[in-house]
Amino acid sequence: MITEKAAAIIERVREENPLVHCITNYITINDCANILLSAGASPAMCDALDEAYDFARISSALYINFGTYIKEQEAAAMAAALGAKSAGRPIVIDPVGCAAIPRRIGILDRLHELAGVSIIKGNMGEIMALAGKKAEVKGVDSDGAVPGIEETAAETAKKYGCVVAATGKIDVISDGRRTARVSNGVPMLTKITGSGCMTGALCAAAAAMARDGDEMFAAAAAAVSLMGIAGEKAAVKANLPGSFRTALIDAVYGITGKILRGMGRIECEEM
Amino acid sequence: MITEKAAAIIERVREENPLVHCITNYITINDCANILLSAGASPAMCDALDEAYDFARISSALYINFGTYIKEQEAAAMAAALGAKSAGRPIVIDPVGCAAIPRRIGILDRLHELAGVSIIKGNMGEIMALAGKKAEVKGVDSDGAVPGIEETAAETAKKYGCVVAATGKIDVISDGRRTARVSNGVPMLTKITGSGCMTGALCAAAAAMARDGDEMFAAAAAAVSLMGIAGEKAAVKANLPGSFRTALIDAVYGITGKILRGMGRIECEEM
Amino acid sequence: MITEKAAAIIERVREENPLVHCITNYITINDCANILLSAGASPAMCDALDEAYDFARISSALYINFGTYIKEQEAAAMAAALGAKSAGRPIVIDPVGCAAIPRRIGILDRLHELAGVSIIKGNMGEIMALAGKKAEVKGVDSDGAVPGIEETAAETAKKYGCVVAATGKIDVISDGRRTARVSNGVPMLTKITGSGCMTGALCAAAAAMARDGDEMFAAAAAAVSLMGIAGEKAAVKANLPGSFRTALIDAVYGITGKILRGMGRIECEEM
């Protein structure tokens, strides 16, 4: 059911080529643009302060990522968020590093206050940090589970009135009412920079295709599963990180709704 | 004739390794540096405001690209343009996104006023926008021609006193007097980010090697054709976007004047 | 002896995954992050002014690279250097372009004054420039030696009280007392952007693992040799620059202490 919705959403991305406005870090900005193109979306990385408000208004979704957050990006993100809000566009935020840099929780809160947010995508440590909890990050690596992550994701989703996607070995997605677990992916995704950022960018493309608030939950699952499947396919081609990164962009290009229906491992339950 | 001139120009790039000063967006800045190195030029991405004027003076050409135009780049570009002018260096501008973000037309006009411009390289929608016209962008995709693009390119070339390269399925280059059509290239070039930016960077390397204003026209044709041929060669090796991007940098490395003479599809006529 | 120490240091990087705080140029920031991941380190590119001081304090080493040095990076680098100093972390500086842009020597001097520096990594022209000398850059390319580079590296090491790594065909490393020559590497490393920046980033990862000031010398040799060996391995797989860049990231991933012991060509003598 949720897999079917997720597949339909990624098909719509390819059909409608949504314009995704990204204000994202300069480490993986190229990867984010290329993964969006591979998925069928149309990326535009517009972070000039004078342009961000208007550009967000003509885009289909806004993606804000805090990876390298220089002052102008910080200001542009606020302007863009207001633009997206005024045009009714979904906003996806990746609060990169907020577990280590608490100031970024404040930045997320400010954006949320100004404009609301549709999806928050972070790794488990970041999502725990948003709820004021500390994750044993080594625990994430070893057994793939952070104790309490499902409850925390649900809590955080309720607090911000949005969908929360907490990525890890098994990704957890919550809208405060339902929880989905996505078990796609491979360890090699942690050996390159940008896997998380690209997942966030794909969340924005998927969010642009969500027809209502209810579909936002499936949109997050679609993006997270798409990235995981791409990782699985890339790992078949390449077992070293430079080649794997190239194979990942290649893989997304070929993933259709049908493939997601076949390979997606998304489980969903009401809480 | 023009093909011969274009081939000679790309040979000179390999022999003389011109230093190309780039102020360009952070999405594809790495691709621009690598494509310039592959073509034999020496790239330097210097956008610190305190350095841009002096650095432009010791460079052989200046490339300005508006992709992500943060305030410091905007100021540095003005300083660099003044430096390039004072040293008599060609300036190549890629007004990325000016069809969707009209403010960027004003930025181009300011740079033109301050320092003049040798080549404007944009996609057809952007070149139409510079002339105050709207392009049916879907039309570009479907049949490879924007109605009126040749006249508009010529008009724009006259207005700015420069060469205009309007890229599309068939690229159109005009100096206001002559029009060249370059039919190299493959559709896969639109599936990765940076094809346009890299073409602009190559225009600057070629412009550095133009011996006079007349050769600036051939320089633009050389760069546009070089990129298209590289796309054709890359498409033989790779049919997925991640691999294609790698193959594109590889391909440029091997393209000699002789190969451009053989594979270049450049037609030229007086208007 | 020094090779054994270098091998032990790169093994420690893989075991301890040091967090390396980078303030580096946007051209090769992605390459620096990926090479650090491939070597087993944990990269974090934090150049927001409000965050740099605190982040440097929780990192294991700080890498500052002047490639594209926008105002906020310049200020953030000063804050980060103070943070690193207060926490006793090593600082590695790559004064990219200081031969062509003398202002950057002043920036290095300011950082040195504020916080001290553990390793300066530059190409031979840059190291000569730090000593107020001019290198015949063409000489570097042709015969692999800049006259006087060993004395100049030693002089510069004494002046700044640090280790100096001057890269070229044969890399020269000095701590003012000893000189090491590293003869790993291949010419293809000069055909892609980022080889120097990645070497600097690896110096920071290695510096994080140096147990005392004496090991800082071996740390620089370890990083320079690791990069050179990776180049040699990549050149076996790929002889074109796009593919070579991918193969380089791949190669670092597999280089163990044992491989460095076997392939490292590091000679050391007292001066």
Side-chain angles (χ1 to χ4, degrees), chain C residues 159-271:
Chain C
K159 177 177 165 194
Y160 290 97
C162 72
V163 173
V164 166
T167 56
K169 194 174 168 187
I170 294 176
D171 311 300
V172 170
I173 296 162
S174 175
D175 64 356
R177 190 167 55 84
R178 292 165 294 177
T179 298
R181 283 175 213 88
V182 181
S183 49
N184 291 112
V186 289
M188 186 55 82
L189 285 165
T190 65
K191 304 298 184 189
I192 61 165
T193 189
S195 298
C197 307
M198 287 187 267
T199 303
L202 291 173
C203 281
M209 294 295 100
R211 289 186 182 129
D212 52 42
D214 186 66
E215 280 199 359
M216 205 54 79
F217 180 67
V224 166
S225 175
L226 174 57
M227 195 69 191
I229 294 171
E232 293 167 20
K233 285 180 159 285
V236 173
K237 297 278 176 78
N239 60 357
L240 293 169
S243 306
F244 179 78
R245 177 201 184 207
T246 300
L248 197 63
I249 309 279
D250 282 353
V252 169
Y253 191 69
I255 297 176
T256 56
K258 192 178 164 187
I259 289 175
L260 193 141
R261 276 180 205 101
M263 293 183 68
R265 287 197 296 277
I266 314 176
E267 279 172 50
C268 183
E269 63 186 39
E270 308 280 320
M271 287 194 85

Side-chain angles (χ1 to χ4, degrees), chain A residues 26-29 31 66-72 74 100-101 103-104 107 138 188 190-194 239-246, chain C residues 16-17 26 29-31 33-34 37-38 43-51 55 58 70 72-73 237 245-247 249-251 253-254:
Chain A
Y26 298 145
I27 310 159
T28 63
I29 189 169
D31 294 318
F66 299 169
T68 54
Y69 214 54
I70 58 172
K71 282 267 164 276
E72 185 166 348
E74 191 175 335
I101 306 172
R103 179 182 94 99
R104 296 189 182 178
I107 295 172
K138 289 290 174 188
M188 187 54 83
T190 66
K191 303 298 183 189
I192 60 165
T193 189
N239 60 358
L240 293 169
S243 305
F244 179 78
R245 176 201 184 207
T246 300
Chain C
E16 300 186 24
N17 317 126
Y26 297 144
I29 189 169
N30 181 275
D31 295 318
N34 274 323
L37 280 165
S38 280
M45 274 63 187
C46 178
D47 50 17
L49 179 50
D50 288 333
E51 302 169 351
F55 200 77
I58 60 168
I70 59 173
E72 186 166 346
Q73 285 191 311
K237 297 278 176 78
R245 177 201 184 207
T246 300
I249 309 279
D250 282 353
Y253 191 69

Side-chain angles (χ1 to χ4, degrees), chain A residues 28 32 48 56 66 73 77 97 100 114 133-134 151 162 178 222 232 238 264:
Chain A
T28 63
C32 288
F66 299 169
Q73 284 190 312
L114 283 177
K133 298 173 190 173
K134 269 212 166 156
E151 294 70 21
C162 72
R178 294 165 294 178
E232 293 168 19

